[in-house]
Amino acid sequence: MLRPFFIRVIDSYQGYFLWFPVLLGLSFLIPFLTWIGIDHVDYPVIILTSIIIVAFLALFIAILTFNNIIPKIDTICCYNFKVTTLIKKNLSDKRFALFGFFFSGLNSLIGYVLGIPEVNEYSQWVYLWGYMLAGFICGLAICGVHGLIIILIKVLNQKFQLDYTHPDKRGGTGFLGNSIMIFSGVTISVGVLIASYILTEEWNANKMIVGEFNLNDIILWFWVFWPFFVGSMLLLVPSLKINALLIAYKTENNRALSHELLILREDILSSKEAENLEIKKSMYSFKEELRATLNSMNTWPFSLHSYFSFSSVFFANILVTYNSATKLIDGLFTNG
């Protein structure tokens, strides 16, 4: 089971989990109200507070989902394979802390380069604290994404016990597809909030022009699209691997069943014993049903429900960030 240090801290205060991300958000909002003032609480400030809260909630949902699929992964992998070994190596406390501090510093640096809004003598420090906090939480999430992709790829490289008769009609990989959708969905949701903040904040740095390029714009667009890239990789990399496995499995079994049916058909046509003929016909019908079941197996691990859920999240995020997207498009044409 995955229980990094920040989850263990929360576990020590049982019954207060939902308050923890709220307290993280308030740790930015209260200093803002104290040293900058309620009059300056605008849309970007609310979004930045939301990023801190929602990013931590999304991280918790992803960890909970991952812990739920660990026993299922162990059941379809070879007997001597354990996911816990990969977790200790790729999702250790040390890696989480390193990613957290790295992206905390990087997010603060990018905010400083773009130009932190100046309201009074305290505003720069308060905003930097918010960027550090949001960057640290998002860094924890990126560590989780990086480790999760590595673990899933290594898991998918194992000898799988696929089953085309499985009720999910995905060879028994449906739970992986549904989980991947959740991982990607929560990552993209946080990415939308990040994009909304970056595109609505009034950055005040002087433009850094190198040749014909504005470095401020390059940094801004990179930071806008980075979370979407992370979420897309989390969706595509393991999904394409599962798709390749299912196609190979389906092709191999289809070839084997077709060969068995051919042999049975020849035996039936040449058989002269009535008793054996009925047995062979029964076996032929059984094999035909198996092949029909195999052909109905989907080679993508996603269920209709997961498609619907992901689409709902995606289009809801588009509606929420409509104004930000409009600003983005206008900026491309006016500055281009």
Side-chain angles (χ1 to χ4, degrees):
M1 181 175 289
L2 176 60
R3 292 183 69 250
F5 65 91
F6 49 91
I7 295 297
R8 295 198 300 273
V9 170
I10 296 174
D11 286 346
S12 62
Y13 297 94
Q14 293 182 1
Y16 296 94
F17 162 73
L18 290 177
W19 285 104
F20 193 80
V22 174
L23 289 174
L24 289 175
L26 290 176
S27 69
F28 162 70
L29 190 59
I30 290 176
F32 188 95
L33 295 173
T34 303
W35 286 299
I36 299 179
I38 194 172
D39 294 338
H40 297 284
V41 175
D42 53 9
Y43 179 75
V45 172
I46 295 172
I47 291 296
L48 182 54
T49 307
S50 300
I51 290 171
I52 296 169
I53 297 172
V54 174
F56 194 88
L57 286 172
L59 181 61
F60 180 80
I61 291 171
I63 291 174
L64 185 64
T65 302
F66 180 67
N67 284 335
N68 286 337
I69 68 173
I70 289 175
K72 297 178 182 179
I73 292 175
D74 286 334
T75 59
I76 64 174
C77 288
C78 54
Y79 70 93
N80 61 345
F81 179 83
K82 294 296 181 183
V83 184
T84 50
T85 305
L86 294 176
I87 292 175
K88 291 177 182 178
K89 181 178 179 181
N90 297 286
L91 292 172
S92 63
D93 285 347
K94 181 180 179 180
R95 287 177 67 87
F96 271 113
L98 287 174
F99 271 78
F101 285 117
F102 174 78
F103 280 94
S104 177
L106 182 60
N107 197 45
S108 301
L109 178 62
I110 288 177
Y112 182 79
V113 170
L114 292 177
I116 298 172
E118 293 184 8
V119 180
N120 56 33
E121 65 271 24
Y122 304 111
S123 58
Q124 203 168 59
W125 298 107
V126 174
Y127 273 102
L128 274 176
W129 164 242
Y131 298 158
M132 288 174 63
L133 193 56
F136 184 82
I137 297 171
C138 291
L140 297 177
I142 293 171
C143 177
V145 170
H146 179 261
L148 185 61
I149 290 176
I150 293 174
I151 289 172
L152 287 177
I153 292 300
K154 290 188 176 182
V155 164
L156 295 170
N157 285 333
Q158 300 298 312
K159 187 176 181 180
F160 258 39
Q161 297 175 3
L162 297 173
D163 179 12
Y164 59 84
T165 65
H166 196 280
D168 68 4
K169 294 186 177 182
R170 286 157 185 82
T173 64
F175 75 94
L176 283 175
N178 294 338
S179 300
I180 290 168
M181 280 286 196
I182 293 173
F183 297 143
S184 181
V186 296
T187 303
I188 290 175
S189 297
V190 176
V192 169
L193 288 174
I194 293 172
S196 297
Y197 176 77
I198 294 173
L199 296 171
T200 55
E201 185 59 271
E202 296 295 331
W203 306 105
N204 63 11
N206 295 325
K207 291 185 177 182
M208 297 182 292
I209 306 297
V210 178
E212 298 180 355
F213 299 99
N214 183 349
L215 290 183
N216 299 65
D217 286 345
I218 293 174
I219 294 171
L220 185 144
W221 301 132
F222 171 79
W223 217 226
V224 165
F225 288 113
W226 166 252
F228 296 100
F229 171 78
V230 173
S232 299
M233 288 299 99
L234 185 52
L235 177 67
L236 292 175
V237 173
S239 301
L240 291 173
K241 181 68 175 178
I242 294 173
N243 176 247
L245 285 173
L246 290 175
I247 289 175
Y249 172 76
K250 188 173 184 178
T251 303
E252 180 183 351
N253 281 273
N254 199 17
R255 186 184 297 114
L257 283 172
S258 296
H259 181 68
E260 291 174 13
L261 284 168
L262 178 62
I263 293 174
L264 278 171
R265 188 161 56 246
E266 291 175 350
D267 286 346
I268 290 170
L269 292 174
S270 62
S271 179
K272 296 179 180 179
E273 298 180 13
E275 184 178 346
N276 287 338
L277 183 61
E278 290 302 317
I279 293 174
K280 289 176 182 179
K281 282 184 177 180
S282 177
M283 181 61 70
Y284 189 87
S285 297
F286 175 69
K287 294 286 184 181
E288 274 195 322
E289 290 177 4
L290 285 180
R291 187 166 67 171
T293 302
L294 175 64
N295 289 330
S296 67
M297 186 189 78
N298 198 325
T299 55
W300 289 99
F302 310 116
S303 66
L304 182 62
H305 176 266
S306 62
Y307 277 119
F308 177 77
S309 300
F310 185 81
S311 299
S312 300
V313 170
F314 182 77
F315 287 111
N317 286 329
I318 288 179
L319 291 174
V320 168
T321 58
Y322 174 76
N323 291 331
S324 301
T326 303
K327 183 176 180 179
L328 168 65
I329 296 170
D330 290 342
L332 284 173
F333 285 100
T334 56
N335 297 329

